[in-house]
Amino acid sequence: MELAAFLPLLFVRMSLFALWNASPSRQTQREEYNSENVIDLLEALNVTRGGVRGVTKVKGQEAGLVAWRFRSRTPHLMLPREHTLYLLTSAHGSLGLHLIGQQARQSTATLLSLMSRGQMLLRLVSCTRSNTLRLEYPPHTRSHSDSHTHSDTNTHSLLLPGGSPFTGGGWVQLALGLEAQRVALFTDCREEVVVELLQPDEVINLRLPLDLQVTFASEAKEPNSKFSGSWQTAEISTRAYRRRPWSCPNLTEPLPPPTPRSETVLMEGSTPPIMLLDESVGVANDQPQRVVLGAPGRKAPQSSALTPANSETDTHTSHGERINRLEERLDGVNTMLQMLKNQVIWS
């Protein structure tokens, strides 16, 4: 009954947020700061502030850069709920991962794990002993809503070409672009590796459930999955990388303008974004027209330092487009409200 009493307040709050979110000034600010939607995992997990047992600060890849050494006694690091909610509301059916690290020789570790109800949804495993980089996930024919009825033995294992880039023991820069039918791998300044997933059971289900649990550098409740080595950068993007997020002088591929780390922000004093839900299975729907706030915990830089003088015309959307976005957000509010009502009825 407490949830039932809370529903009207939730509806009012989310409706007001949708109206506030659609205002021209907010649209302009967010478009300025969110050319990429990235969560800094090391910052979100409190690693950079020295608050994690078993992690120590070490020298990074280059002079003057800092990294963090992970050991077997490092606890499982699960992404806080506010960051997970941001990931759910911002992902558009794709994900990206950007890492700069150094893995211990002769070791096996889960670099990233996505789980729901104790069952694996996606994991990236690097083994420097067998020189393999493996992406594991359930077959697409298996719904996330049914994950609690299956075991991890029913998984698809994709061996990425080229083996594990961490096998040599040196520093590696890696980016992964995950889409339903496409996996792109970028390693240092080598040529891009693309794997097309053409068979139905190879397709990756990236419609993430509401009880999503994201674990970095291990898999929850699996002590043997812990990463041993150092991380300088660890970022998860709500969009798949189609280009490497760093420059390479020996490659001529076109690159987008680099995005400062401070550009992906949550405006101070703002409310988390609205979650648009799938009524049947309780997952976040793809909303390609939705403009989102940045990752939690980031502070906004001064807009004058980021915005060119002639950008006002480019960043403002038309009145009709803003009305359409507002209608979409209100539809999402109504969908969430109906789902919560259903939960109250069945509970």
Side-chain angles (χ1 to χ4, degrees):
M1 294 305 295
E2 292 181 2
L3 181 58
F6 175 70
L7 289 179
L9 177 60
L10 175 65
F11 178 76
V12 171
R13 180 178 180 183
M14 296 182 71
S15 299
L16 290 173
F17 173 73
L19 291 167
W20 172 83
N21 211 25
S23 67
S25 61
R26 302 305 298 179
Q27 295 287 348
T28 302
Q29 288 177 338
R30 288 189 318 208
E31 287 168 0
E32 289 171 8
Y33 298 144
N34 291 282
S35 58
E36 288 190 46
N37 297 280
V38 172
I39 297 173
D40 186 329
L41 294 172
L42 297 177
E43 180 181 323
L45 295 166
N46 208 30
V47 171
T48 57
R49 291 181 288 277
V52 178
R53 175 175 53 85
V55 176
T56 55
K57 185 184 293 187
V58 295
K59 180 181 177 182
Q61 183 180 17
E62 300 174 5
L65 297 179
V66 174
W68 287 267
R69 171 75 173 168
F70 283 55
R71 296 174 174 82
S72 58
R73 67 176 183 273
T74 302
H76 296 291
L77 300 177
M78 288 174 283
L79 196 63
R81 185 59 180 166
E82 63 268 24
H83 291 82
T84 305
L85 288 175
Y86 169 73
L87 187 63
L88 287 168
T89 56
S90 305
H92 293 186
S94 64
L95 290 174
L97 182 66
H98 177 208
L99 302 172
I100 301 178
Q102 186 179 41
Q103 184 177 348
R105 296 177 185 270
Q106 300 296 308
S107 68
T108 302
T110 298
L111 307 185
L112 186 74
S113 171
L114 275 60
M115 301 187 71
S116 171
R117 304 182 188 181
Q119 297 297 321
M120 185 271 296
L121 304 179
L122 183 79
R123 64 179 164 222
L124 181 65
V125 180
S126 171
C127 180
T128 58
R129 186 181 300 107
S130 61
N131 186 25
T132 57
L133 185 64
R134 201 166 65 248
L135 185 67
E136 298 180 343
Y137 53 92
H140 188 63
T141 52
R142 170 182 156 191
S143 169
H144 288 337
S145 61
D146 297 331
S147 62
H148 63 290
T149 62
H150 293 74
S151 66
D152 273 3
T153 58
N154 185 22
T155 61
H156 182 81
S157 182
L158 175 65
L159 281 176
L160 296 174
S164 174
F166 296 99
T167 297
W171 285 98
V172 173
Q173 184 156 206
L174 177 149
L176 197 65
L178 298 176
E179 300 174 70
Q181 295 182 288
R182 185 180 190 270
V183 177
L185 176 66
F186 305 92
T187 305
D188 294 326
C189 287
R190 306 175 200 170
E191 292 294 331
E192 172 189 9
V193 174
V194 176
V195 179
E196 301 287 348
L197 307 175
L198 304 178
Q199 300 301 318
D201 63 339
E202 294 178 337
V203 175
I204 305 174
N205 186 357
L206 291 172
R207 298 179 67 219
L208 303 175
L210 295 178
D211 57 359
L212 176 69
Q213 182 185 76
V214 180
T215 307
F216 173 63
S218 71
E219 182 176 346
K221 300 181 181 180
E222 292 291 340
N224 294 331
S225 69
K226 290 185 178 181
F227 176 86
S228 180
S230 300
W231 292 116
Q232 178 180 293
T233 297
E235 298 173 332
I236 188 168
S237 170
T238 59
R239 289 175 174 82
Y241 289 111
R242 285 263 175 162
R243 300 181 180 90
R244 71 194 73 223
W246 63 87
S247 300
C248 286
N250 62 319
L251 296 177
T252 57
E253 61 183 11
L255 286 172
T259 302
R261 291 163 65 91
S262 60
E263 284 193 21
T264 48
V265 298
L266 178 66
M267 303 300 295
E268 282 193 85
S270 63
T271 307
I274 293 173
M275 186 181 302
L276 301 182
L277 306 175
D278 184 310
E279 293 183 74
S280 59
V281 295
V283 299
N285 273 330
D286 298 343
Q287 296 290 332
Q289 305 252 339
R290 184 171 70 251
V291 182
V292 299
L293 295 175
R298 302 289 181 89
K299 292 187 177 181
Q302 296 296 321
S303 59
S304 59
L306 292 173
T307 309
N310 62 350
S311 66
E312 183 176 354
T313 303
D314 296 333
T315 55
H316 276 287
T317 58
S318 69
H319 178 71
E321 289 175 338
R322 289 197 298 272
I323 293 298
N324 289 337
R325 288 197 182 106
L326 176 58
E327 291 175 348
E328 290 176 0
R329 290 188 180 97
L330 290 176
D331 287 341
V333 172
N334 290 330
T335 300
M336 172 176 275
L337 184 61
Q338 187 60 48
M339 285 191 61
L340 291 172
K341 286 181 178 178
N342 292 339
Q343 290 178 6
V344 171
I345 292 172
W346 288 107
S347 61

